[in-house]
Amino acid sequence: MTQVPAPSSSSRRRHDREIISLAVPAFGALVAEPLFVMVDSAIVGHLGTPQLAGLAVAAALLTTAVSIFVFLAYATTAAVARRVGAGDLASAIRQGMDGIWLALLLGIAVIAVTLPTAPWLVNVFGASDTAAPYATTYLRISSLGIPAMLVVMAATGVLRGLQDTRTPLYVAIGGFAANGALNAGLVYGAGLGIAGSAWGTVIAQVSMALAYLVVVVRGARRHGASLRPDAAGIRASARAGVPLLVRTLSLRAVLMIATAVAARLGDTEIAAHQIILSLWSLMAFALDAIAIAGQAIIGRYLGADDAKGAREACRRMVQWGAVSGVVFGALIVLARPLFVPLFTSDTSVQDALVPALLVVALSQPIAGVVFVLDGVLMGAGDGRYLAWAMLVTLAVFAPVALLVPAAGGGLTALWWAMTLMMAVRLATLWLRVRSGKWAITGATR
């Protein structure tokens, strides 16, 4: 990155306090999100195998539909943080409201598409004849909660931009608890079966969205920000989100290609791949917490016209990412004998799993830096570069991964290809950060 004088020890401590205060609550909120599906699975699983299979298909569809709109959180965080740095809280909240209105409109559009096409979508995902009715029921009911889920994303971005990651943690914990209680009560107490699970989740999601809106509306009234929808502001939020949408779709394509290749390698390999991917995703949640802190901190520094402070914070977060990656890699290696048997007792799956898992451990320091740099550039509002960088990464990864079966490679070779993917991301992001072109100051980019 552009050279700046090494920060003093007091400066490093200040950055450390900022990173910890934002990253730790963000990690808690990130981990709480996938627990929703786990609770649903545990409760529905006791209804029978067809119901659980139906839930699995519907949950995969819902997760895919919602995850592509994660730019609602990322773009909003960066835009709000800049205005916070510039000292214009009214404008910051107004910007956040534009993101929330955009989320609501997108959610309504997704419902309009999902309700009539639910049976077809379930069929495309390969649900069996016995599971398909349950999947369709769950998908149709749960889709009613998508606007709330997207509002939660955008409102989370508002609060992160305001340097508040504690409120999202509290809301996530409350939503998780409500989801569990509602699911158990409606599935078994009211006897609604899988429909009860879907309604319980919808109610919990709507409650979370309302909790966020109460916080944001209070902030808007306190600082005199308008709550009305503004067409120009909504369009601007959408334009800012398009590059991040391209980035997210490219990343999803990487993961889909990897899974498709693993499936071609055989049942043993795809089973082992799924276990590794679950662990890889868990590590990603932890590392993403630092990236979220980066989005908020970098945006605030640039909004305050403090490019030097932004570069110092970037340097410190890169160090945090690298050290975290080393720690996680070591944990994977040392704890391997303990957690591998928890996932599978099949020795053939374990034999395929272990060498690939060591590759994942070796790649964690790379992943740690990649996630941080990704967060830094998001916080800087450098979405266009992130989109192109991820498209380049996809272009490099896809042919290499697809050649793995043809070349006689196994699961370990596939995860070497995944490591190459992360290395390409590291190279493209590092070049951008080093150039200094991302550090554009001002309340708007």
Side-chain angles (χ1 to χ4, degrees), residues 265-288:
L265 296 174
D267 290 347
T268 297
E269 284 74 13
I270 186 62
H273 174 76
Q274 186 59 37
I275 294 170
I276 295 174
L277 193 59
S278 298
L279 292 167
W280 189 79
S281 298
L282 179 61
M283 298 297 102
F285 275 125
L287 295 172
D288 203 30

Side-chain angles (χ1 to χ4, degrees), residues 9 33 35 114 125 172 182 220 236 258 273 278 310 321 325 340 345 385 415 437:
S9 59
E33 292 173 8
L35 292 178
T114 304
F125 261 61
L182 287 165
H273 174 76
S278 298
V340 169
S345 58
Y385 183 85
W415 276 94
K437 294 178 180 179

Side-chain angles (χ1 to χ4, degrees), residues 51-443:
Q51 289 90 334
L52 184 58
L55 172 65
V57 171
L61 285 163
L62 288 165
T63 301
T64 300
V66 172
S67 65
I68 63 175
F69 295 116
V70 72
F71 70 83
L72 289 167
Y74 294 160
T76 304
T77 297
V80 171
R82 276 184 175 269
R83 286 163 175 78
V84 169
D88 189 354
L89 289 178
S91 178
I93 296 174
R94 173 66 261 178
Q95 178 73 37
M97 285 304 305
D98 292 335
I100 290 173
W101 280 112
L102 175 62
L104 188 60
L105 292 173
L106 289 172
I108 292 170
V110 173
I111 289 179
V113 171
T114 304
L115 285 178
T117 61
W120 177 79
L121 290 169
V122 166
N123 183 61
V124 167
F125 261 61
S128 66
D129 291 341
T130 55
Y134 297 110
T136 301
T137 296
Y138 190 92
L139 180 60
R140 278 181 165 158
I141 296 173
S142 291
S143 68
L144 300 177
I146 288 178
M149 295 170 72
L150 299 189
V151 167
V152 166
M153 279 189 180
T156 299
V158 175
L159 295 181
R160 288 173 181 170
L162 293 170
Q163 316 297 297
D164 176 9
T165 57
R166 291 182 180 274
T167 299
L169 173 61
Y170 300 148
V171 174
I173 292 172
F176 171 70
N179 181 62
L182 287 165
N183 269 257
L186 294 175
V187 171
Y188 298 114
L192 296 180
I194 195 169
S197 177
W199 280 118
T201 300
V202 168
I203 294 170
Q205 290 163 346
V206 171
S207 299
M208 291 173 67
L210 291 174
Y212 274 115
L213 289 176
V214 167
V215 174
V216 174
V217 169
R218 283 178 179 171
R221 288 175 176 170
R222 186 164 56 251
H223 297 288
S226 173
L227 298 172
R228 295 178 180 178
D230 177 67
I234 293 172
R235 285 195 298 271
S237 293
R239 284 195 299 271
V242 168
L244 294 179
L245 175 62
V246 172
R247 168 204 168 272
T248 300
L249 290 174
S250 300
L251 182 56
R252 296 290 299 181
V254 165
L255 299 177
M256 289 175 65
I257 289 170
T259 300
V261 170
R264 290 178 62 187
L265 296 174
D267 290 347
T268 297
E269 284 74 13
I270 186 62
H273 174 76
Q274 186 59 37
I275 294 170
I276 295 174
L277 193 59
S278 298
L279 292 167
W280 189 79
S281 298
L282 179 61
M283 298 297 102
F285 275 125
L287 295 172
D288 203 30
I290 304 175
I292 287 170
Q295 293 172 30
I297 293 170
I298 295 298
R300 191 189 76 239
Y301 273 116
L302 294 178
D305 294 324
D306 187 358
K308 177 176 177 291
R311 293 190 183 98
E312 286 183 355
C314 174
R315 173 185 291 179
R316 191 58 177 164
M317 282 183 285
V318 166
Q319 293 170 351
W320 270 78
V323 171
S324 298
V326 170
V327 171
F328 290 149
L331 284 175
I332 290 173
V333 173
L334 295 174
R336 185 182 73 251
L338 300 176
F339 66 76
V340 169
L342 297 177
F343 285 100
T344 179
S345 58
D346 189 326
T347 55
S348 62
V349 174
Q350 291 182 3
D351 290 342
L353 175 68
V354 170
L357 200 57
L358 294 177
V359 175
V360 173
L362 289 172
S363 70
Q364 286 306 295
I366 297 175
V369 177
V370 165
F371 275 89
V372 167
L373 296 180
D374 208 36
V376 166
L377 295 184
M378 283 184 188
D382 205 6
R384 189 181 298 274
Y385 183 85
L386 287 170
W388 281 111
M390 199 62 225
L391 286 171
V392 169
T393 301
L394 176 60
V396 172
F397 170 77
V400 174
L402 293 173
L403 281 173
V404 168
L411 188 64
T412 302
L414 174 60
W415 276 94
W416 276 119
M418 288 287 285
T419 301
L420 171 65
M421 178 272 294
M422 294 300 291
V424 173
R425 289 187 71 188
L426 175 61
T428 55
L429 299 178
W430 182 259
L431 286 172
R432 183 63 168 182
V433 169
R434 188 174 180 81
S435 73
K437 294 178 180 179
W438 57 278
I440 298 174
T441 58

